[in-house]
């Protein structure tokens, strides 16, 4: 059985800050809150909270699938990857990334657009899983980010037995 993790690519979106996080929540609590909802996290090169992410991962009660863009990579990320508790993928120009319109083969990272169409999401999820190795992560792409699409994907994954 394959393990597929789900998350958002653009977790620092102003739209997400205003619609998903409590407006009174301190920004440094957002990573922990998001990790309670999702088991995959994308760290972009411009993310201002990389240190907070590293701290939260050190205390995470369950493994997290983390994608770290090459420009954000550091010795700290290397140490987390080598520790082996979390699955850490360094994303560089040679890392295959699956997309519904440009399918990579054996990609551990996938991007799928937000959608209200359950049929299209199921089709994309099944195609991603078919090509993926034993453990992979599918991130909802697009601005604004869609937590609803992540939730739909989780439900579909349960329905198809992932």
């Amino acid at each position: 059985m394959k393990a597929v993790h789900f998350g958002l690519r653009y977790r620092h979106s102003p739209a997400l800050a205003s619609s998903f996080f409590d407006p009174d929540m301190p920004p440094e609590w957002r990573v922990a809150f998001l990790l309670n909802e999702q088991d995959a996290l994308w760290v972009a090169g411009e993310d201002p909270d990389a240190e907070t992410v590293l701290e939260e991962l050190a205390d995470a009660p369950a493994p997290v699938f983390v994608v770290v863009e090459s420009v954000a990579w550091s010795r700290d990320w290397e140490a987390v990857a080598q520790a082996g508790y979390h699955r850490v993928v360094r994303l560089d120009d040679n890392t295959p990334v699956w997309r519904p319109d440009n399918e990579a083969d054996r990609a551990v990272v996938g991007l799928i657009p937000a959608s209200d169409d359950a049929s299209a999401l199921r089709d994309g999820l099944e195609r991603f899983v078919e090509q993926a190795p034993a453990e992979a992560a599918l991130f909802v792409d697009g601005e604004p980010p869609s937590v609803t699409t992540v939730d739909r994907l989780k439900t579909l994954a349960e329905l198809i037995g992932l």
Side-chain angles (χ1 to χ4, degrees), residues 2-87:
K2 294 186 180 185
V4 179
H5 307 272
F6 300 99
L8 295 168
R9 182 175 185 189
Y10 296 109
R11 61 186 176 81
H12 285 289
S13 165
L16 192 63
S18 66
S19 65
F20 180 66
F21 297 114
D22 183 310
D24 296 328
M25 179 185 293
E28 61 272 13
W29 292 7
R30 291 180 180 169
V31 172
F33 183 80
L34 193 58
L35 288 176
N36 284 327
E37 301 292 319
Q38 301 171 7
D39 62 349
L41 196 66
W42 188 292
V43 178
E46 67 276 357
D47 285 354
D49 65 347
E51 289 301 317
T52 301
V53 172
L54 287 163
E55 290 169 10
E56 291 299 330
L57 289 175
D59 296 330
V64 177
F65 192 108
V66 186
V67 171
V68 182
E69 292 180 1
S70 182
V71 294
W73 194 258
S74 68
R75 290 180 194 249
D76 293 332
W77 286 112
E78 186 67 37
V80 172
Q82 287 180 356
Y85 183 65
H86 301 290
R87 174 77 154 100

Side-chain angles (χ1 to χ4, degrees), residues 4 6 125 152-162:
V4 179
F6 300 99
L125 175 59
R152 284 186 184 114
L153 285 167
K154 287 181 190 177
T155 300
L156 287 167
E158 289 176 18
L159 291 172
I160 63 174
L162 293 178

Side-chain angles (χ1 to χ4, degrees), residues 105-119:
D105 189 34
R106 303 285 301 156
V108 298
V109 177
L111 293 171
I112 193 164
S115 176
D116 292 330
D117 183 346
S119 178

